[in-house]
Amino acid sequence: MSIRSTIITRFAFAAILFCGATGQGLATDNVQLQKQLSAEVQPLLREHCLDCHSGAEPEAGLSLEHFDTPKAFLKGRRVWEKAVEKMQLGEMPPRESNQMPDSQRKFLADWITSTIEDFECGLTPNPGQVTLRRLNAAEYQNTVRDLVGVDYQPAENFPADDVGYGFDNIGDVLTLPPLLMEKYVLAAEEISRQAIQTPAPDKLFEANYSGGQLQVKDSKPSGSADLTLASVNDAFFQEQIPWAGLYQLTITASGDQAGNEPCKMLVSVDGKPVKEFLVKNDRKQPEEFKLPLKLKAGNRLITMRFTNDFYVAKSGDTQQQDRNLHIHYVSLTGTQPSGNKLEASQLTASHKAIFFVQPKTAADVPKVTRSVIERLASRGYRRPVDNDDLQRLTDLSLGLQAEGESLESSVQVALQAILISPKFLFRVEPPQATKGFDAYRDLDEFELATRLSYFLWSSMPDDQLLALAWSKKLRTGETLSQQIKRMLADPRANAFVDNFAGQWLTLRKLESFKPDPTLFPKWNDQINRLAYFETMNFFRGVMRDDLSLLRLLDADFTYLNEQLAEYYGIPNVKGKEFRKVSLAGTNRSGLLTQASILAVTSNPTRTSPVKRGKWILDNLLATPPPPAPPGVPELKEKGQLAGTLRQRLEQHRVDPACASCHKLMDPLGFALENFDATGQWRTQDDGQAIDASGELPDGTVVNGVAQLRQTLLTRNKEQFVRCVSEKMLTYALGRGLEYYDKCAVDKMIAEVAKNDYKFSTLVMEIVKSDPFQKKGEREIE
């Protein structure tokens, strides 16, 4: 199907189509489309569709009789896209109805598709909008690793990420519950400690006394909160001082004032006066009096003497006057610098990378602090940190240094702030002012670098991508294509294999597959893991060697080690390491014959043609069957229904509510019946010969996996490539696809077909597409 090159802006289209304005080119097309609709399309619909889909009670509640203008087809695009899928699969018209010749089927599908595309694929396509996306667990782990060199694995502690459209990187479902935010805060502390080494901490000394705990000459400590000295007297304490050095004595005191001078308090050390304080405040407003002391190591006596008692008794009209000193609290603190420095030979690689510059003098420390934080924040935020954020982070670090923290420990705290910032935890693409009627904008180069790196690496852009973004050269010439090739060849692209292929092929379900050990004794946890590795290595091989996407279906090779090869019955494979193995002369070829796929589409006690057929429709053809109607029972097991599995399914399908779905799924699934529930080849089941035949809705008969594979590669090739393209684009964008994405998908499929369906071509076309390169700023009407 071709896309007509209609040169129409979306604004012009909206004005012409919906507001009645006239434009010669489009008006002419509309007239021609209307003539074609009346003369050719509607007669086909009346002959093959309207018998069922019209009237008061149309089949499936779908009436097609009101689609009498091209505009009506455009408004009902969702209905007609489904209809085209069913026509191409041969499901519609139903086999029992008047069949449509292939030429008419193709004409009708092409006309419907092109009518919609004429308007949807103009010069101003809708690139869609992506919800602000939180990093999922895998992206968070990889980003932390690439930012600070720490392999922090949050999966065990973080809440599980929700899944949308088959993937766990979809912005709409990646919420941030309070529990996860708490986990992020704890993780930031742990990561910063692992990433940055700090000098050994200083030794601290601290002694604290309430006033009532002090000793008083000729009396015992009162034990109360405060101590009152009502006459000239000494309050004192003794402490074993661990090292000679500078300490600070802090006395919280107040006084009952009387006479012509305030209370006086003399502080002495080992009987030698040091300083006298004037305690002018009253008892209701205690104050702190601080005194630095140089103390020698050993047992030291600290004394506070009330030196100026004053008392006048009440006499006649004269009020009593009584000067007293109140001591509320005393503390003595000291710090001994550790003297330990970080030796260069003992520093970790992550520490050295973070502190890429070192201060030569004390005066250099603020500048170095800012430089280190600027690089950390810019890389963590995947774009240049703005001045306000940088100043806040720098002030935080310098403030801690002023309180005695080392450069390294202060940067640890700044790193924690970066790791819990929304600019780190989310992939932020802020809206920008648009001009005129534009509803979208090109991503800036930092946003493009970020989308590219999370697509192929599930991680942040590396220094090379960021440098290209800084210099605005990422889109220049062949640079983008060169970067894609580099990234696909990089070991970090293994994350793409694990996260895209693992979810597209539903292999994450394999971990929970526990077949009955009495029925399948050769399957165990080790085979389970090896089966997963086979498929991951196979997909990786197709990607690394830049093979055709079609090889995913018919490759005559796979990747095995000795144990899995023995499980398959393939000889001459030795050793634990996986290597490329020829499948020539075996019954295996491509994904459909790999144990991982066959296992996740089976039940614990038997195969499931229904699950296997549904898996093919969902994941290889992107034409999922409708959900089962409410109340439809599960297939009864042996003993409840008589006969073989095929016979039991045929009895199950007698129910009309079951038949419509099963006629789509069962023939595909039965073609794989020679493989048991754990992927081993068999020719019999319960002593009965395997019947692997089935008839597809369009009348095509397939018998066994070889014919199924051939059918997929001939009749359904475009659907398979479209399915892979749509799944990969969904993963790349982090959102579900909409009707307006079809134009971009059609364009990339056309380019992929022209380049022999090469894997790298699909990746490049996704990255170069409008949905990937642009961002919707507002919804296009």
Side-chain angles (χ1 to χ4, degrees):
M1 283 170 268
S2 62
I3 299 174
R4 296 189 185 181
S5 55
T6 312
I7 307 176
I8 307 167
T9 64
R10 184 171 299 277
F11 173 66
F13 158 63
I16 294 168
L17 186 61
F18 295 108
C19 300
T22 59
Q24 186 62 39
L26 183 58
T28 301
D29 280 354
N30 245 337
V31 170
Q32 292 173 347
L33 285 173
Q34 184 65 56
K35 288 181 178 179
Q36 220 171 14
L37 172 60
S38 301
E40 301 179 64
V41 175
Q42 286 184 315
L44 286 176
L45 295 179
R46 283 193 294 270
E47 182 179 357
H48 298 285
C49 305
L50 295 187
D51 280 350
C52 297
H53 295 288
S54 63
E57 297 182 359
E59 185 77 19
L62 174 63
S63 175
L64 302 180
E65 58 188 330
H66 63 282
F67 290 96
D68 53 2
T69 66
K71 177 181 174 180
F73 278 81
L74 180 64
K75 287 185 174 182
R77 62 172 65 85
R78 296 185 187 277
V79 169
W80 289 109
E81 284 169 357
K82 288 290 184 184
V84 168
E85 284 181 3
K86 291 184 177 295
M87 281 192 288
Q88 291 173 334
L89 280 174
E91 297 175 32
M92 291 294 166
R95 292 195 60 205
E96 61 272 15
S97 302
N98 181 20
Q99 284 302 298
M100 188 184 301
D102 287 346
S103 59
Q104 291 182 347
R105 187 188 302 270
K106 184 178 187 306
F107 163 76
L108 186 56
D110 285 356
W111 188 92
I112 293 169
T113 302
S114 63
T115 297
I116 295 172
E117 288 173 353
D118 276 345
F119 301 114
E120 293 299 336
C121 301
L123 294 180
T124 56
N126 183 353
Q129 294 175 304
V130 179
T131 303
L132 181 70
R133 286 174 58 185
R134 172 177 62 79
L135 301 183
N136 65 21
E139 292 169 339
Y140 180 92
Q141 178 179 335
N142 294 341
T143 304
V144 166
R145 177 201 66 205
D146 292 340
L147 176 64
V148 295
V150 172
D151 186 14
Y152 184 78
Q153 300 185 11
E156 294 181 0
N157 297 317
F158 284 11
D161 294 315
D162 289 328
V163 174
Y165 303 98
F167 299 102
D168 62 5
N169 67 340
I170 303 299
D172 288 341
V173 301
L174 286 171
T175 57
L176 182 54
L179 175 60
L180 181 56
M181 193 65 235
E182 293 176 15
K183 298 291 186 182
Y184 280 145
V185 172
L186 295 174
E189 295 175 358
E190 176 63 25
I191 291 163
S192 66
R193 286 194 295 267
Q194 291 186 38
I196 298 175
Q197 295 169 270
T198 56
D202 296 339
K203 294 181 180 179
L204 301 177
F205 170 83
E206 185 173 9
N208 299 292
Y209 296 88
S210 67
Q213 292 175 315
L214 297 172
Q215 297 183 61
V216 181
K217 189 176 181 180
D218 300 329
S219 66
K220 294 181 179 180
S222 66
S224 60
D226 301 330
L227 170 67
T228 299
L229 296 178
S231 61
V232 173
N233 205 345
D234 294 338
F236 59 91
F237 66 92
Q238 288 182 300
E239 278 293 337
Q240 185 68 31
I241 302 303
W243 62 80
L246 184 65
Y247 292 77
Q248 178 162 284
L249 178 68
T250 302
I251 305 167
T252 305
S254 62
D256 297 328
Q257 308 297 336
N260 59 1
E261 62 180 6
C263 296
K264 294 181 179 180
M265 177 177 63
L266 176 65
V267 178
S268 301
V269 177
D270 293 339
K272 295 180 181 180
V274 178
K275 183 174 181 177
E276 187 174 61
F277 291 97
L278 299 180
V279 183
K280 300 178 181 180
N281 54 304
D282 62 32
R283 191 169 188 173
K284 293 180 180 179
Q285 296 177 310
E287 289 187 4
E288 288 186 347
F289 299 88
K290 296 185 178 182
L291 176 63
L293 296 174
K294 287 185 177 181
L295 301 178
K296 296 179 180 180
N299 192 28
R300 304 270 77 84
L301 174 67
I302 311 294
T303 304
M304 292 139 287
R305 171 173 287 189
F306 177 37
T307 63
N308 62 336
D309 183 33
F310 179 84
Y311 179 80
V312 176
K314 181 178 180 181
S315 175
D317 294 334
T318 304
Q319 296 294 323
Q320 174 180 304
Q321 298 182 57
D322 188 7
R323 182 187 296 150
N324 301 303
L325 177 67
H326 305 287
I327 300 177
H328 304 279
Y329 196 78
V330 177
S331 70
L332 180 65
T333 59
T335 301
Q336 183 186 40
S338 65
N340 294 331
K341 294 184 178 180
L342 294 172
E343 297 295 332
S345 60
Q346 298 175 339
L347 296 177
T348 62
S350 63
H351 183 101
K352 292 177 182 178
I354 291 171
F355 290 93
F356 65 100
V357 291
Q358 290 290 332
K360 295 179 180 178
T361 66
D364 294 336
V365 172
K367 182 178 179 181
V368 167
T369 302
R370 186 180 180 90
S371 296
V372 168
I373 291 175
E374 182 175 18
R375 186 172 187 272
L376 264 179
S378 293
R379 296 181 73 242
Y381 297 162
R382 283 86 70 177
R383 63 169 51 252
V385 59
D386 63 54
N387 289 331
D388 289 343
D389 283 345
L390 177 58
Q391 193 59 52
R392 282 193 290 269
L393 291 167
T394 304
D395 289 346
L396 171 64
S397 188
L398 293 177
L400 291 168
Q401 292 174 29
E403 295 176 4
E405 295 282 348
S406 66
L407 166 64
E408 293 80 7
S409 60
S410 72
V411 173
Q412 270 188 344
V413 177
L415 175 57
Q416 292 172 29
I418 291 168
L419 292 175
I420 61 173
S421 167
K423 294 181 181 179
F424 173 81
L425 295 173
F426 289 83
R427 289 170 52 182
V428 179
E429 294 174 355
Q432 299 177 7
T434 57
K435 298 179 181 179
F437 294 95
D438 291 342
Y440 64 87
R441 65 172 174 85
D442 290 334
L443 298 179
D444 68 37
E445 298 227 348
F446 290 100
E447 292 167 338
L448 178 58
T450 296
R451 280 200 183 186
L452 182 57
S453 65
Y454 281 98
F455 172 30
L456 297 181
W457 288 346
S458 297
S459 186
M460 60 177 284
D462 65 355
D463 289 344
Q464 189 172 153
L465 280 174
L466 289 174
L468 288 168
W470 270 100
S471 61
K472 299 187 184 302
K473 293 181 179 178
L474 185 54
R475 285 189 173 100
T476 304
E478 294 296 315
T479 302
L480 191 56
S481 297
Q482 292 167 359
Q483 288 301 306
I484 292 171
K485 291 178 181 178
R486 176 182 74 88
M487 295 176 73
L488 287 174
D490 191 285
R492 282 170 287 191
N494 289 338
F496 170 74
V497 178
D498 292 338
N499 297 320
F500 169 68
Q503 293 183 89
W504 165 42
L505 302 174
T506 67
L507 295 190
R508 293 186 177 181
K509 296 180 180 179
L510 190 60
E511 187 176 355
S512 61
F513 178 65
K514 305 293 182 185
D516 188 330
T518 59
L519 297 175
F520 307 103
K522 292 185 179 180
W523 184 272
N524 53 44
D525 290 343
Q526 180 67 5
I527 293 296
N528 187 308
R529 287 191 295 271
L530 295 178
Y532 177 85
F533 291 149
E534 177 196 8
T535 304
M536 291 296 98
N537 279 305
F538 173 70
F539 187 92
R540 187 177 298 115
V542 172
M543 178 184 76
R544 297 273 191 230
D545 295 338
D546 198 15
L547 302 180
S548 166
L549 295 169
L550 303 179
R551 297 291 77 76
L552 293 170
L553 294 178
D554 70 351
D556 60 353
F557 64 87
T558 189
Y559 290 78
L560 304 173
N561 71 352
E562 181 175 359
Q563 186 175 359
L564 189 58
E566 288 179 354
Y567 182 81
Y568 283 164
I570 297 176
N572 304 321
V573 179
K574 303 297 180 184
K576 295 181 179 180
E577 300 299 319
F578 275 76
R579 81 292 311 267
K580 190 174 183 179
V581 175
S582 171
L583 294 176
T586 73
N587 295 303
R588 299 181 186 273
S589 178
L591 287 169
L592 285 174
T593 63
Q594 293 178 6
S596 60
I597 304 296
L598 295 161
V600 297
T601 54
S602 293
N603 292 331
T605 58
R606 61 169 174 81
T607 61
S608 174
V610 177
K611 286 183 178 179
R612 288 177 175 178
K614 184 178 185 301
W615 187 92
I616 291 171
L617 292 173
D618 281 342
N619 300 292
L620 300 186
L621 300 179
T623 54
V632 174
E634 294 286 333
L635 173 67
K636 295 180 180 180
E637 293 296 333
K638 198 170 182 179
Q640 297 172 305
L641 287 176
T644 64
L645 176 59
R646 178 182 287 273
Q647 291 167 339
R648 297 202 306 276
L649 269 172
E650 288 174 352
Q651 295 172 60
H652 182 75
R653 286 165 55 179
V654 170
D655 187 338
C658 305
S660 61
C661 296
H662 282 278
K663 71 179 181 180
L664 306 176
M665 299 180 289
D666 295 1
L668 300 172
F670 273 121
L672 300 173
E673 267 298 278
N674 282 115
F675 297 96
D676 71 14
T678 62
Q680 289 198 298
W681 179 262
R682 63 182 182 172
T683 57
Q684 291 188 334
D685 179 23
D686 264 355
Q688 305 258 349
I690 295 290
D691 180 359
S693 64
E695 186 176 349
L696 301 179
D698 65 355
T700 302
V701 175
V702 293
N703 189 356
V705 65
Q707 287 188 12
L708 172 62
R709 186 166 52 243
Q710 188 61 29
T711 299
L712 293 175
L713 287 170
T714 52
R715 299 179 66 90
N716 302 111
K717 177 171 65 175
E718 183 177 330
Q719 283 177 274
F720 171 69
V721 175
R722 179 175 295 276
C723 178
V724 179
S725 302
E726 290 178 347
K727 297 283 187 182
M728 197 179 294
L729 183 60
T730 298
Y731 176 81
L733 297 178
R735 66 168 174 83
L737 300 190
E738 300 291 344
Y739 67 89
Y740 45 74
D741 294 309
K742 185 176 183 299
C743 307
V745 174
D746 287 345
K747 183 178 178 181
M748 66 180 66
I749 289 174
E751 290 299 317
V752 168
K754 280 194 282 186
N755 287 275
D756 297 325
Y757 301 99
K758 283 190 174 182
F759 191 99
S760 66
T761 303
L762 175 58
V763 174
M764 289 183 184
E765 290 304 314
I766 286 175
V767 174
K768 293 176 181 178
S769 70
D770 286 331
F772 195 92
Q773 291 263 343
K774 302 179 188 297
K775 177 182 185 295
E777 295 288 74
R778 61 181 174 82
E779 190 67 30
I780 297 175
E781 299 296 338

